[in-house]
């Protein structure tokens, strides 16, 4: 799932142990000025079984994925009974399980991202009718075999362009032993972009950056990623932000503008953040992270979030909210034109933060692997 190898210390399963206090260390702007942070609070709204991901659903609901293979709907009454159960089709060994869910813009289709019993990354589609999953319409959209049980990635999102983006890690183990991050002939270590409704099982958008390259996979949108556990699009600008889990020393947040044509190389495994990895050479087309932090304190595995576009906390608007699995402190980046201008500690701790969810109104929820589902509210 999302944990890194610090002696690969913290992984056996995603249910590891930790939750404390991270460093807001340096990015490419090592001394970003600290500005007054928004005043927020975490309000626990539900308890789930190892929640891993979520998505804004029809009718103002929020759908929550649980790692063992169930999906439940959060509304004003809390979490309901599972509306989908694939627990017989997945496993929670290593970093496997149900890892991502997404709806298309019309809520006409629901997508799940999981590892099957063989460990293969799988994206399946269901048709929706009257806000309900239609089980008999299920079909498999994309699969990718995984050489190891970690670094599966697994996040899925529809972009502003209506295409489905899929994050896949480098295949696992440690140090990218197969060189997948920089290899354009594999889907591993990549962010993919496909059109699931345009073909069977999917179509390739004609403006994908490598469609005319015989040595590259047409599905690739961006590459050089280690374990892009969580990514998102800014609901206002379309900017892409990726939390890419580091190896030994550096956690990073990558960025691309909403008008990007794709093809960004985020550097792994030649680079870890802005630093050569094990004597690596920085690629000429390397796109450095907008923010990185080291492991001086207790951070170990970045959990990417969202640019806040809700209305409940005006002082937080436009800031990118994120956390770290081992530290749990919720933080935000103030940004202008792809540059970090401020790093804020929001003064709340979500525990072992595994994911964020953006509701339909733009408000944000924090998921902790231990079970808590919390909303970020004004203090």
């Amino acid at each position: 799932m999302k944990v890194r190898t610090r002696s690969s210390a913290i992984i056996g399963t995603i249910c590891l142990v930790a939750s404390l206090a991270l460093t807001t260390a340096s990015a490419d702007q090592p001394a970003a000025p600290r500005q007054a942070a928004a005043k927020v609070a975490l309000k626990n709204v539900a308890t789930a079984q190892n929640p891993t991901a979520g998505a804004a659903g029809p009718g103002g609901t929020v759908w929550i994925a649980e790692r063992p293979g169930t999906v439940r709907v959060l509304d004003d009454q809390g979490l309901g009974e599972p509306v989908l159960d694939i627990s017989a089709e997945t496993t929670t060994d290593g970093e496997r399980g149900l890892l991502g869910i997404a709806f298309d813009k019309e809520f006409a289709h629901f997508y799940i991202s999981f590892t099957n019993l063989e460990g293969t990354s799988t994206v399946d589609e269901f048709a929706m009718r009257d806000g309900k999953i239609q089980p008999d319409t299920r079909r498999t959209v994309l699969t990718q075999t995984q050489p190891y049980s970690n670094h599966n990635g697994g996040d899925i999102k529809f972009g502003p362009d209506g295409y489905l983006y899929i994050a896949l890690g480098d295949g696992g183990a440690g140090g990218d032993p197969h060189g997948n991050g920089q290899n354009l002939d594999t889907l591993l270590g990549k962010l993919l972009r496909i059109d699931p409704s345009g073909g069977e099982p999917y179509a390739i958008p004609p403006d994908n950056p490598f469609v005319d390259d015989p040595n590259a996979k047409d599905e690739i949108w961006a590459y050089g990623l280690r374990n892009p556990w969580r990514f998102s699009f800014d609901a206002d600008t379309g900017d892409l932000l990726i939390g890419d889990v580091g190896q030994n020393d550096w956690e990073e947040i990558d960025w691309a503008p909403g008008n990007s044509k794709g093809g960004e190389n985020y550097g792994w495994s030649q680079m870890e953040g802005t630093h050569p990895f094990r004597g690596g050479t920085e690629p000429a087309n390397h796109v450095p992270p907008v923010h990185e932090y080291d492991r001086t304190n207790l951070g170990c595995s970045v959990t990417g979030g969202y640019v806040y576009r809700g209305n409940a906390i005006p002082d937080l608007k436009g800031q990118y909210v994120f956390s770290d699995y081992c530290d749990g402190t919720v933080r935000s980046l103030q940004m202008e034109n792809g540059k970090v201008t401020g790093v804020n500690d929001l003064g709340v701790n979500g525990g072992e933060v595994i994911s964020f969810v953006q509701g339909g109104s733009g408000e944000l929820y924090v998921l902790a692997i231990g079970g808590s589902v919390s909303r970020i509210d004004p203090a």
Side-chain angles (χ1 to χ4, degrees):
M1 212 170 264
K2 72 176 300 278
V3 196
R4 71 199 270 157
T5 9
R6 168 205 232 151
S7 71
S8 241
I10 21 214
I11 301 257
T13 92
I14 233 183
C15 309
L16 350 216
V17 256
S19 103
L20 331 190
L22 141 96
T23 174
T24 55
S26 36
D28 55 328
Q29 300 181 347
R34 297 183 68 82
Q35 302 178 25
K39 291 179 170 55
V40 307
L42 291 182
K43 178 179 175 57
N44 185 269
V45 295
T47 299
Q49 183 183 6
N50 301 142
T52 50
T61 58
V62 171
W63 290 40
I64 301 293
E66 298 173 311
R67 188 185 175 211
T70 45
V71 178
R72 300 166 70 188
V73 179
L74 176 68
D75 57 23
D76 293 339
Q77 280 69 52
L79 278 173
E81 292 300 311
V83 295
L84 182 68
D85 186 348
I86 63 159
S87 55
E89 304 174 45
T90 189
T91 173
T92 57
D93 64 311
E95 297 175 18
R96 296 168 172 162
L98 177 56
L99 306 179
I101 57 176
F103 288 95
D104 59 18
K105 287 186 176 181
E106 295 76 27
F107 299 111
H109 297 92
F110 179 63
Y111 296 82
I112 61 173
S113 171
F114 67 102
T115 51
N116 68 15
L117 294 175
E118 288 72 48
T120 297
S121 290
T122 305
V123 176
D124 280 3
E125 175 196 87
F126 297 82
M128 296 283 295
R129 186 178 305 124
D130 299 325
K132 296 180 180 179
I133 294 171
Q134 305 302 301
D136 58 349
T137 66
R138 183 177 181 178
R139 71 182 185 96
T140 294
V141 176
L142 180 143
T143 62
Q144 171 61 51
T145 56
Q146 294 282 354
Y148 305 101
S149 65
N150 59 336
H151 301 184
N152 299 298
D155 201 9
I156 52 175
K157 297 278 192 310
F158 276 87
D161 51 17
Y163 293 130
L164 180 63
Y165 290 72
I166 303 166
L168 291 175
D170 65 5
D176 194 9
H178 302 293
N180 291 325
Q182 293 295 306
N183 180 7
L184 292 174
D185 195 30
T186 176
L187 301 183
L188 295 171
K190 312 297 188 299
L191 184 65
L192 314 180
R193 179 182 186 242
I194 64 170
D195 179 1
S197 63
E200 184 60 46
Y202 59 86
I204 303 292
D207 58 346
N208 269 12
F210 298 107
V211 289
D212 296 322
D213 186 341
N215 299 311
K217 297 289 187 184
D218 293 346
E219 294 90 339
I220 296 172
W221 179 255
Y223 67 110
L225 295 162
R226 181 179 179 274
N227 190 19
W229 170 244
R230 290 292 171 247
F231 71 93
S232 65
F233 294 93
D234 184 332
D236 276 15
T237 67
D239 293 353
L240 168 69
L241 291 116
I242 306 170
D244 194 20
V245 179
Q247 171 80 34
N248 292 325
D249 299 303
W250 297 94
E251 300 300 314
E252 70 181 84
I253 294 169
D254 299 309
W255 174 88
N259 61 1
S260 168
K261 303 301 182 186
E264 286 85 1
N265 178 5
Y266 294 112
W268 178 256
S269 58
Q270 292 296 302
M271 305 291 290
E272 185 181 12
T274 60
H275 312 268
F277 178 73
R278 294 182 182 172
T281 300
E282 183 173 17
N285 63 343
H286 178 221
V287 178
V290 293
H291 182 66
E292 65 181 9
Y293 60 87
D294 63 26
R295 297 170 54 198
T296 303
N297 294 324
L298 293 167
C300 80
S301 184
V302 65
T303 299
Y306 289 84
V307 174
Y308 178 75
R309 296 296 180 186
N311 294 315
I313 314 168
D315 288 345
L316 193 59
K317 276 204 171 183
Q319 296 184 39
Y320 177 72
V321 179
F322 70 103
S323 188
D324 184 285
Y325 179 80
C326 291
D327 165 74
T329 302
V330 180
R331 303 181 188 275
S332 70
L333 300 181
Q334 294 170 306
M335 296 178 60
E336 285 184 22
N337 302 317
K339 301 292 183 184
V340 172
T341 60
V343 183
N344 295 317
D345 179 337
L346 296 181
V348 292
N349 191 294
E352 295 164 323
V353 177
I354 201 72
S355 192
F356 289 82
V357 186
Q358 186 177 54
S361 62
E363 303 305 328
L364 299 183
Y365 297 79
V366 181
L367 307 183
I369 194 64
S372 69
V373 179
S374 302
R375 188 177 60 236
I376 301 178
D377 283 354

